[in-house]
Amino acid sequence: MEAIVIVAVDATSAGAQLLLDALSDVLLHLNGDSGRASFDAEAATPRGGFYLARDGAGNLLGCAALRPLGEPDSAIGELKRMYARPGSIGVGAALLAHVEAQARAHGYQAVHLSTRVANSRAVAFYARHGYVPVAAWGKYVGAAQSVCLGRQLSIATSLNVADLPDL
């Protein structure tokens, strides 16, 4: 598998817009709604970001965004606009791991997301990565077409082997 490089970019950049358009087209075909109304590319936040995945040659592979869920000081980060181009292997998992690492760095205790029930591939993907149903929020409350999922984040610690006692 070729290296996947993930970088933070402005969500209004050309590469970001290309992937966001591709995602919107897929979602529109899948469930009749592009999802564009749920993400404002102009609304950057210091506790989040927009991330692009590229291969070693610089080809765009996928994208994802992180923002606070609700208030700016929320303990929960919201995953938005996650997309991996068809045929790209390992990109979704790499992006998800990157977003979760960024969420930890921003002090979030959990990551939540909403996707359409009809998007069974996405629902299965998130389940494989430890996401479970959570209470709906905002416009998703009572929306039977949506499923809200979340995952508690573990606190990553670094351990130096030299610090371990001799046994």
Side-chain angles (χ1 to χ4, degrees):
M1 180 171 71
E2 191 170 339
I4 298 169
V5 178
I6 300 174
V7 296
V9 300
D10 186 315
T12 61
S13 70
Q17 288 301 302
L18 186 73
L19 288 169
L20 288 170
D21 289 346
L23 171 60
S24 293
D25 291 346
V26 168
L27 293 177
L28 187 61
H29 176 74
L30 183 67
N31 57 44
D33 183 351
S34 70
R36 288 182 194 269
S38 297
F39 181 72
D40 181 0
E42 303 287 332
T45 172
R47 292 190 67 219
F50 190 87
Y51 311 100
L52 287 185
R54 295 179 182 271
D55 64 16
N59 297 309
L60 293 169
L61 299 176
C63 62
L66 174 68
R67 68 181 185 189
L69 181 60
E71 298 300 315
D73 62 349
S74 175
I76 300 171
E78 184 180 15
L79 174 64
K80 299 295 294 180
R81 306 311 278 175
M82 175 85 155
Y83 174 69
R85 283 200 154 152
S88 56
I89 298 170
V91 173
L95 277 164
L96 187 58
H98 186 83
V99 168
E100 288 175 352
Q102 292 298 310
R104 282 184 201 91
H106 286 297
Y108 295 115
Q109 297 171 8
V111 172
H112 288 187
L113 64 99
S114 178
T115 192
R116 294 289 180 118
V117 174
N119 194 348
S120 58
R121 285 186 62 212
V123 173
F125 169 83
Y126 292 119
R128 283 193 311 275
H129 288 88
Y131 283 74
V132 297
V134 296
W137 64 89
K139 72 178 190 174
Y140 304 116
V141 174
Q145 73 275 16
S146 295
V147 58
C148 293
L149 304 170
R151 178 174 177 209
Q152 289 296 121
L153 297 174
S154 60
I155 303 301
T157 59
S158 60
L159 181 64
N160 186 338
V161 176
D163 294 334
L164 294 175
D166 291 330
L167 297 179

